[in-house]
Structures are given as C-alpha cells and as structure tokens.
C-alpha cells in the first residue's frame, strides 16, 4: 500500500530492535541500510549505540528513551519501522504504545511512515488489536514479511503486499560443510523447561555420535542464548558424550554466522533468522519451531520441522540424519530471495531518490 508521494529526500529515522546483540536484528538493519534510496541519511534507534555506530557507520539515538526518540523524529523527514514484528504485544502492551506514539507523532508532523518487511502480531489483548487497527491506516507504505500478517491486515481493510523476510536479500555463501560439524542455533523457550529438553538432546546425541560430528552451539542472541549449553549441563540434561562433543561459539555478526553455517553439515535452528542465514549459506537445515513464523520459514525452505510443545516421536532423529550433508533446494532459496526484493521496491516509492547524492553504509 502506497499513499501519496512526491516527498523529497533527507533524514529518515529507522526504528527497530537494533543494537540488542541479536544477529537477526543486525541482519535486518544491514539489509535496510543497503536498500535505502540515495539521498536519505539514516538515524537508527539502538540500545548499544556504540556497537551500531561502529558496525554500520550510522548515527544513532537511544531506543530505550521514548522522549529522546521523539526528539530525534522531530529532526527527521520520515519514519521507517524496519523488519521484525514490532506491532505486537507479546513483549508488552507498553512496547506497542511506544511504536504507536512514534507513528502518531510522525503523521501529526506530516511525515511519511513506512512499515518495512513487518510481521503483524501476536496481538493477544483486545485493546492491542483495536490500537493496531487504528494505526495501520496512518502508514504511508506497508510491506509484510509473511502471508499471515497480510491476511490479518486485509481483514481490517488494509491491503498491502507481502514478500519473504527481508533477510533473504543478503548474499548467499558457497556451502563447504560436507562432513562438517552440526551447528545449533537454539534458545531458551517457554515450551522447553527442564526435562522437556531431553528428547531433543538425546536425538542430537545419537545423531552426533552416529555420524561422528562435533556440535557447535551458536548463540544468536548474545544475552538470551549464551550459556544455554552450560545451563542445560548444570541441570544434568546433556548426555555425557554429547557434552564431550559440544562447544559454544562466540559469533559477533551475521557474516561470521554465515561462515559457520557454510561449513556445517547440518544446522538445527530455533531462531527464525538463524534458519534463514543457514539456508543462505547453503547448509542442510532443520527447524524447531517455538513460533509460527519459524514453522512458515521451514515450510518455505522445505526442511524438516518439529513444533516445540508437540509430542516428539522417534522420527525426529531420523529426519535430522536424513538431512545431514543434504543442502536445501537451490531453487527454493532463489525464489525466496526474489520475493524479498518486494520490500526494496516499496521503500523506493516511500523515500524518493535525490539526484546527485548517495548513501553507502559502512
């Protein structure tokens, strides 16, 4: 959906979960900066501002200070909510109010608002649904990252296109993981508490021992995922021989994660963007879904899927073994990459180029 037009270039506030030490959000920001039309200077909301400034070479503002972000917005010419699922209340209703305040302030100031590659929901509260239903018509341009979000918005009378997740726009890597390690992109989740981890750890133990592969635990979110191996070991849940094969990695950016995935014989991913990066690296992959967005990505890739919280059968380890050293369909990955270009096209219409100027993020 694109409304209006003819707005000149200038400074644009990019709002998202940036600088949160989450490789997925870093990957989204990388794509968004690469897709910004010429002439637009980005100002990025970030928690760890030093990290974002150093990694991307952009100006930042503290995303945790609504007042500071609103002041930053006053000095900008447009607002873009970039990637992820920002309009949701699973984090908190307060989080939803934060984005509502930004959208409302931008429109009151006559500035265009873009929802770029967004997921919509979950919206568990009635007041959340009412608020978002009132917010969506204020957006100047919208693209969704999945058909479920587009369908929910369409049910409220907001028609807008959907493509695949923007992270699919990142370059692919050549896979060289034949016979390589098994890489885990696992996270703490509500569906797996204590002994509920056992079936997954036992299946992994059997797979790694049978194929004689090391197991690398890759924390995708440094604060949430780091230490998961040690915590599970402390609870007595990790089989001894799996523990002997396991090591936790330290990965600083999406490029480093891509390189690890490119050398993997199998990536077992709970994180959505971990699954996408694994497929971009050409790695064999399988998904463990704590959220429908992960299940949808697995279906699009055509890789094995286990929904967390559902009964785990003996076929889990068998499906992982079948996927070992067997990369995903090149054609499927290419189609998903093509579908992700939709977001760049709408961004160009929201933020028209200015002649004679370019933006090159560091």
């Amino acid at each position: 959906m694109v409304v209006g037009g003819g707005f000149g270039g200038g400074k644009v506030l990019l709002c998202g979960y940036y600088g949160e030490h989450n490789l997925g959000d870093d990957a989204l920001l990388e794509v968004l900066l690469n897709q910004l039309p010429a002439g637009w200077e980005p100002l990025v909301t970030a928690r760890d501002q030093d990290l974002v400034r150093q990694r991307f070479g952009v100006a930042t503002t503290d995303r945790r200070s609504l007042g500071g972000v609103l002041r930053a917005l006053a000095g900008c010419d447009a607002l873009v909510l970039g990637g992820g699922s920002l309009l949701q209340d699973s984090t908190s209703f307060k989080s939803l109010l934060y984005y509502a305040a930004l959208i409302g302030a931008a429109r009151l100031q006559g500035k265009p608002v873009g929802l770029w590659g967004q997921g919509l929901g979950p919206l568990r509260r009635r007041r959340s649904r009412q608020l978002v239903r009132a917010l969506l018509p204020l957006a100047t341009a919208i693209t969704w990252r999945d058909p479920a979000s587009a369908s929910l918005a369409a049910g409220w009378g907001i028609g807008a296109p959907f493509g695949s997740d923007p992270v699919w726009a990142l370059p692919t890597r050549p896979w060289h993981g034949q016979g390589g390690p098994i890489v885990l992109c696992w996270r703490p989740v509500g569906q797996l508490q204590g002994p509920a981890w056992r079936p997954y750890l036992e299946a992994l133990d059997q797979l790694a021992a049978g194929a004689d592969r090391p197991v690398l635990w890759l924390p995708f979110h440094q604060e949430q995922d780091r230490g998961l191996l040690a915590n599970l070991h402390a609870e007595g849940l990790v089989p001894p021989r799996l523990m002997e094969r396991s090591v936790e990695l330290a990965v600083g950016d999406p490029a480093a994660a891509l390189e690890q995935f490119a050398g993997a014989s199998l990536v077992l991913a709970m994180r959505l963007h971990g699954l996408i990066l694994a497929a971009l690296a050409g790695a064999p992959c399988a998904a463990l879904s704590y959220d429908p967005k992960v299940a949808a990505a697995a279906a699009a890739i055509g890789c094995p899927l286990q929904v967390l919280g559902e009964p785990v059968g003996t076929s889990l380890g068998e499906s992982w073994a079948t996927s070992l050293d067997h990369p995903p369909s090149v054609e499927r990955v290419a189609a998903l990459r093509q579908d992700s270009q939709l977001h760049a096209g709408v961004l160009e219409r929201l933020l028209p180029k200015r002649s004679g100027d370019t933006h090159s993020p560091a």
Side-chain angles (χ1 to χ4, degrees), residues 108-335:
L108 285 172
Q109 296 167 27
K111 298 169 181 176
V113 173
L115 306 183
W116 175 85
Q118 282 291 305
L120 184 57
L123 297 166
R124 299 190 172 98
R125 302 169 177 86
R126 182 171 178 269
R127 60 180 177 172
S128 300
R129 294 188 290 273
Q130 291 174 329
L131 177 58
V132 172
R133 192 168 183 174
L135 285 175
L136 291 182
L138 300 180
T140 313
I142 300 174
T143 60
W144 303 113
R145 71 177 182 183
D146 60 87
S149 296
S151 177
L152 178 57
W156 293 337
I158 304 298
F162 67 89
S164 58
D165 190 281
V167 169
W168 283 108
L170 288 176
T172 58
R173 293 287 182 94
W175 179 65
H176 53 88
Q178 185 80 27
I182 298 168
V183 177
L184 307 183
C185 191
W186 287 7
R187 56 164 295 171
V189 289
Q191 296 96 324
L192 298 182
Q193 299 292 326
W197 280 97
R198 287 194 187 279
Y200 303 97
L201 294 166
E202 290 171 357
L204 175 60
D205 175 45
Q206 293 172 10
L207 174 66
D212 193 20
R213 306 292 168 89
V215 178
L216 307 181
W217 296 62
L218 191 155
F220 215 68
H221 190 303
Q222 293 302 307
E223 295 174 9
Q224 294 181 8
D225 304 352
R226 188 170 51 193
L228 177 61
L229 171 61
N231 292 339
L232 293 174
H233 177 59
E235 293 181 48
L237 298 172
V238 183
R241 65 178 179 178
L242 175 59
M243 193 65 199
E244 291 176 0
R245 293 178 176 275
S246 293
V247 64
E248 183 178 273
L249 298 175
V251 178
D253 56 47
L258 275 166
E259 188 55 37
Q260 291 291 342
F261 293 150
S265 61
L266 178 64
V267 177
L268 301 178
M270 292 184 187
R271 291 277 182 186
L272 169 64
H273 292 117
L275 183 63
I276 292 173
L277 290 182
L280 286 172
C285 50
L288 295 90
S289 176
Y290 72 96
D291 185 283
K293 65 187 180 185
V294 181
I301 295 168
C303 69
L305 166 69
Q306 171 66 39
V307 177
L308 300 180
E310 293 187 357
V312 180
T314 56
S315 61
L316 177 64
E318 295 172 2
S319 70
W320 290 353
T322 300
S323 299
L324 196 72
D325 292 324
H326 288 83
S329 163
V330 173
E331 291 76 18
R332 282 183 181 245
V333 172

